[in-house]
Each structure stands twice: as structure tokens, then as C-alpha cells.
Amino acid sequence: MNKVAVVVLAGTESHESLGRVVNALELAKELQEHDDEVTIVFDGAGTEWIPELENEQHDAHPLYNAVKGNIHGACRFCAKAFGVFKEIVETDIDLLDEYDQHPSLRNFIVDGYEVVTF
């Protein structure tokens, strides 16, 4: 069984960014379907995606919903820095502050995860 941490860093500013988040979610879905251990982290500008993908009208919402159970959370510091803290608090996505108010990617490495960034 594979152990993979999928980290979304792409913001919401371009069509290319949409492609990156969709590819991240597709990888998570593929891993999930093969019973691999997968966890998703939204970090940096990637935190902007949570409110976007929570919107049921967004084209990627069904894909997001399909892997939502594997979302570890979003960076607390970055959610504030990118202006989406309040919106994320209103969801059931955890805000991560394991290391200096950021998620600890080191913890995933120590636990044997491959870290894949988008």
C-alpha cells in the first residue's frame, strides 16, 4: 500500500491553477480507489480553493466531494494571509498549525508518506 500526501499550493488566479487542483484531486481519488493511504493538504495560495470547491455550483465540486474524507486540512497561517480564514472556519475542514502555524510536512515524511505537490 502506498502512503501519499497530496499538497495543493496552486492559487485560484488562472486556468492553469484550476488544472493543478483538479489533477491533485484526481490523484487523490485514484489513490483512494486503490485503497492507498492518501491525505490532502491545502497550503499557501492553495487555501483559496476550499471556499471555491465547497460551492456546489463549481465544476470540480463533485470531485472535491469524492475525496473530502481524505482532506487533512488547510494551513492556518496561509488561510489568514490569503483572506479565506473565515470561509474555511465555516466548513468542516481543519485549520492546521502543527509547525509555526503551518502544517508539518515533515510529519508526513517521518510517517513514510511520499509528498506530491501541485
Side-chain angles (χ1 to χ4, degrees):
M1 174 171 47
N2 297 303
K3 292 173 71 171
V4 181
V6 176
V7 182
V8 177
L9 299 167
T12 58
E13 68 279 349
S14 71
H15 186 67
E16 178 266 345
S17 299
L18 173 62
R20 289 173 65 194
V21 75
V22 167
N23 284 323
L25 299 177
E26 283 290 345
L27 172 60
K29 183 178 172 204
E30 181 180 10
L31 292 164
Q32 177 180 289
E33 288 176 357
H34 285 88
D35 295 321
D36 291 320
E37 194 170 325
V38 60
T39 189
I40 306 163
V41 174
F42 291 84
D43 202 356
T47 58
E48 296 174 319
W49 279 110
I50 301 288
E52 295 283 326
L53 296 170
E54 285 281 332
N55 179 350
E56 293 178 2
Q57 302 306 310
H58 195 284
D59 288 344
H61 176 77
L63 177 57
Y64 170 77
N65 225 29
V67 299
K68 191 171 180 179
N70 288 312
I71 297 175
H72 182 63
C75 176
R76 174 179 292 278
F77 182 89
C78 295
K80 290 178 184 176
F82 286 91
V84 291
F85 182 83
K86 181 180 173 186
E87 290 90 341
I88 294 175
V89 166
E90 293 171 355
T91 72
D92 56 352
I93 303 299
D94 291 331
L95 288 162
L96 308 173
D97 58 2
E98 300 141 338
Y99 182 76
D100 287 344
Q101 295 186 45
H102 294 275
S104 173
L105 299 183
R106 180 186 183 278
N107 286 346
F108 290 115
I109 294 167
V110 168
D111 290 341
Y113 283 81
E114 271 188 73
V115 178
V116 181
T117 59
F118 287 88

